[in-house]
C-alpha cells in the first residue's frame, strides 16, 4: 500500500516550497543459501522493508490537507528496515504518478537489494549502497535506482546498528540514504506495426558526475532463450573531438548520442520492423561506479487482410454451397474466426458452429500467417434475405473486423441465362468429343 506524506513541508523551509514524501512497503531481497528449493533452501530470501522517498515535487493542485505526516517509530527498533531516501538531485521523473497511485488504486511493486559498485576499492565499506526497483501497476513508470548511505552525526551518542544490515541508524531508527543514480522507462510494453518504426523509451539521471567520466549505453534483445546486442554507445560526458563511439549491430536502430549525453535520453529507435525484432529489450546505462537497466517488451503486429470467396450469395438449385473467409498476412498467430447469420425471423444473430472447417496455418517468408475458414450453406437453412457474416478478432485490430453477404433471390432471366450457358457448353463438348 502506498501513502502520501507531508514530511517535506517540515524540512524544506529553506527552499520555501513544500515537498511530499512517498512511503512504500518493499521487500529486501537477498541471495539465499539453497539451490532454488533443492536441499530445503531458497534461492532468494525476502525481508519486509519500508522505503521513504523524501521531497518529491508536489503539483500545485495537490492540497496539503490530503497529505499525512510521516512519523518514524517513537522507539527505534534495530530489527526494522526503514530506508529514508533523499530525492533532490537527481529527481525522479513522473513523480506525480507515484503521488497519485494510491488514489488511482494502482499497486506499486518495490524491491531493494544491496549493491556493490563497479570498480569499487577493495575493502571499502563506506558508504554502503542499495539498488531498488519500482513498478506502477498498469504501466506509466518503471524505475531502477541506486541509493548511497549518508554519514551520521554521532556527536551526541553512539549510533544504533540495524541488526540485519549491520549499518548505523539515525536517532529515529531509519537508514539515511540519497538517490545517486536512476534509470527509468515510461513504457514497459510497446506495440508497433510490421514494417513500421518503434520508439522504446529509456532514460537516466544522476548526480553531477566528475569531469571526463565515461558513459556507457547498451541495448540488447532477448527472445526465446537467445540474445543479441542491438546497439552500444561509449562516450565521455565532456565534449571530445572524436565524439561518442557508436556500434550498431541491428541495421536501422539508432540512439541520439547528443540527447544521451546532454539530457540522459537513451531511447532506442527501430526502423523497418520485422517479426524477428519482437522480444524483450534491455536498456543498460553505466557511468562511473553505477550501472542499472530497464526492460521493455516490444510486440510486432500486423492486422489481417480479410476477404470472402464470393461477391454474391445465390442458390441456383438445392445443392449446398461453400463460402470461405480468408484471413491473410497477420501477426501474431492469435486469431479467432466466427460465423453468424441473421434471417428475417431471427431476433438476434445465430452463431454458426456446425458445417464450419478451418484450414491449417500457412506461414509466409516474412513470418506472417494466413488461415481460411469454410462454411457449408444449405438452401433450406439460409432463405433469401439471410445475412451471413464472418467476424475476425486479432490483437492488431482495435475492434473485430466483419464481412457480410446477404442471400439473394435468383432472378428468372439470370436463371435462364445460366441454364442456356450450361446447355451450350454441354453441346460444344459433345460435338468436340464426337
Amino acid at each position: 500500500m502506498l501513502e502520501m506524506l507531508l514530511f517535506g513541508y517540515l524540512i524544506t523551509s529553506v527552499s520555501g516550497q513544500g515537498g511530499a514524501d512517498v512511503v512504500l512497503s518493499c521487500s529486501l531481497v537477498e541471495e539465499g543459501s539453497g539451490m532454488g528449493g533443492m536441499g530445503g533452501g531458497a534461492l532468494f530470501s525476502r525481508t519486509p522493508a519500508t522505503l521513504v522517498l523524501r521531497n518529491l515535487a508536489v503539483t500545485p493542485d495537490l492540497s496539503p490537507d490530503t497529505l499525512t505526516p510521516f512519523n518514524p517509530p517513537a522507539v527505534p527498533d534495530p530489527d526494522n528496515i526503514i530506508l529514508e531516501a533523499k530525492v533532490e538531485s537527481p529527481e525522479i521523473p513522473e513523480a506525480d504518478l507515484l503521488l497519485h497511485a494510491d488514489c488511482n488504486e494502482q499497486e506499486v511493486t518495490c524491491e531493494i537489494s544491496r549493491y556493490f559498485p563497479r570498480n569499487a576499492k577493495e575493502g571499502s565499506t563506506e558508504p554502503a549502497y542499495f539498488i531498488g526497483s519500482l513498478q506502477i501497476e498498469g504501466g506509466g513508470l518503471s524505475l531502477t535506482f541506486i541509493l548511497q548511505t549518508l554519514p551520521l552525526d554521532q556527536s551526541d551518542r553512539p549510533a544504533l546498528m540495524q541488526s540485519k544490515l549491520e549499518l548505523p541508524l539515525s536517532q529515529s531508527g531509519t537508514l539515511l540514504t540519497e538517490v545517486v543514480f536512476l534509470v527509468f522507462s515510461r513504457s514497459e510494453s510497446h506495440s508497433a506495426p510490421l514494417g513500421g518504426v518503434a520508439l522504446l523509451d529509456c532514460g537516466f539521471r544522476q548526480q553531477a558526475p566528475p569531469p571526463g567520466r565515461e558513459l556507457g549505453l547498451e541495448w540488447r534483445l532477448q527472445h526465446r532463450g537467445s540474445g543479441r546486442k542491438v546497439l552500444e554507445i561509449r562516450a565521455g560526458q565532456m565534449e571530445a573531438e572524436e565524439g561518442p563511439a557508436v556500434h550498431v549491430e541491428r541495421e536501422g536502430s539508432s540512439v541520439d548520442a547528443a540527447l544521451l549525453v546532454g539530457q540522459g535520453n537513451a531511447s532506442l529507435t527501430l526502423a523497418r520492423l520485422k517479426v524477428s525484432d519482437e522480444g524483450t529489450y534491455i536498456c543498460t546505462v553505466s557511468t562511473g561506479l553505477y550501472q542499472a537497466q530497464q526492460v521493455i517488451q516490444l510486440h510486432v503486429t500486423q492486422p489481417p487482410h480479410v476477404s470472402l470467396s464470393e461477391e454474391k450469395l445465390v442458390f441456383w438449385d438445392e445443392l449446398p454451397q461453400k463460402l470461405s473467409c480468408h484471413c491473410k498476412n497477420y501477426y501474431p498467430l492469435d486469431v479467432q474466426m466466427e460465423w453468424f447469420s441473421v434471417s428475417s425471423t431471427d431476433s438476434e444473430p445465430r452463431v454458426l458452429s456446425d458445417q464450419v472447417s478451418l484450414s491449417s496455418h500457412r506461414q509466409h517468408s516474412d513470418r506472417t500467417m494466413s488461415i481460411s475458414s469454410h462454411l457449408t450453406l444449405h438452401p433450406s437453412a439460409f432463405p433469401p434475405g439471410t445475412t451471413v457474416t464472418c467476424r475476425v478478432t486479432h490483437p492488431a485490430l482495435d475492434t473485430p473486423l466483419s464481412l457480410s453477404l446477404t442471400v439473394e433471390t435468383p432472378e428468372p432471366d439470370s436463371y435462364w441465362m445460366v441454364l442456356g450457358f450450361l446447355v451450350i457448353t454441354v453441346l460444344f463438348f459433345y460435338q468436340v468429343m464426337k
Side-chain angles (χ1 to χ4, degrees), residues 326-330 359-364 367-372 374:
H326 304 299
C327 189
K328 299 180 179 179
N329 299 104
Y330 58 85
S359 70
S360 59
H361 284 94
R362 302 178 297 279
Q363 187 176 54
H364 305 283
R367 295 177 61 180
T368 60
M369 309 296 294
S370 293
I371 194 172
S372 297
H374 309 291

Side-chain angles (χ1 to χ4, degrees), residues 146-224:
I146 294 178
L147 303 176
Q148 173 184 287
T149 57
L150 296 174
L152 299 175
D153 182 6
Q154 302 181 9
S155 58
D156 296 334
R157 57 183 178 181
L160 187 67
M161 300 295 290
Q162 209 289 322
S163 58
K164 187 175 186 64
L165 300 174
E166 298 182 351
L167 293 173
L169 300 174
S170 67
Q171 294 184 10
S172 58
T174 62
L175 189 64
L176 299 182
T177 67
E178 63 178 345
V179 177
V180 293
F181 182 72
L182 58 89
V183 178
F184 62 91
S185 177
R186 302 176 186 87
S187 178
E188 299 175 67
S189 180
H190 182 75
S191 296
L194 183 69
V197 177
L199 178 63
L200 305 184
D201 181 74
C202 183
F204 76 97
R205 294 182 181 177
Q206 62 178 331
Q207 290 184 342
R213 175 177 291 179
E214 185 183 61
L215 170 66
L217 169 66
E218 181 185 78
W219 278 94
R220 292 189 64 86
L221 168 60
Q222 295 287 137
H223 188 55
R224 295 181 179 177

Side-chain angles (χ1 to χ4, degrees), residues 310-314 321 323 405-406 408 411:
E310 306 294 335
E311 295 182 357
K312 289 185 177 182
L313 196 54
V314 181
Q321 288 193 28
L323 181 63
L405 284 179
T406 300
E408 301 179 8
E411 297 181 6

Side-chain angles (χ1 to χ4, degrees), residues 245-267:
V246 182
H247 301 282
V248 177
E249 300 288 340
R250 188 270 191 195
E251 185 179 354
S253 61
S254 62
V255 171
D256 191 319
L259 292 180
L260 172 68
V261 175
Q263 302 179 21
N265 186 342
S267 299

Side-chain angles (χ1 to χ4, degrees), residues 116-138:
F116 300 93
R118 307 185 315 151
N119 305 321
K121 295 180 180 179
E122 293 187 10
S124 176
T125 58
E126 293 185 359
Y129 294 89
F130 295 86
I131 187 168
S133 64
L134 297 178
Q135 289 183 324
I136 299 179
E137 180 186 18

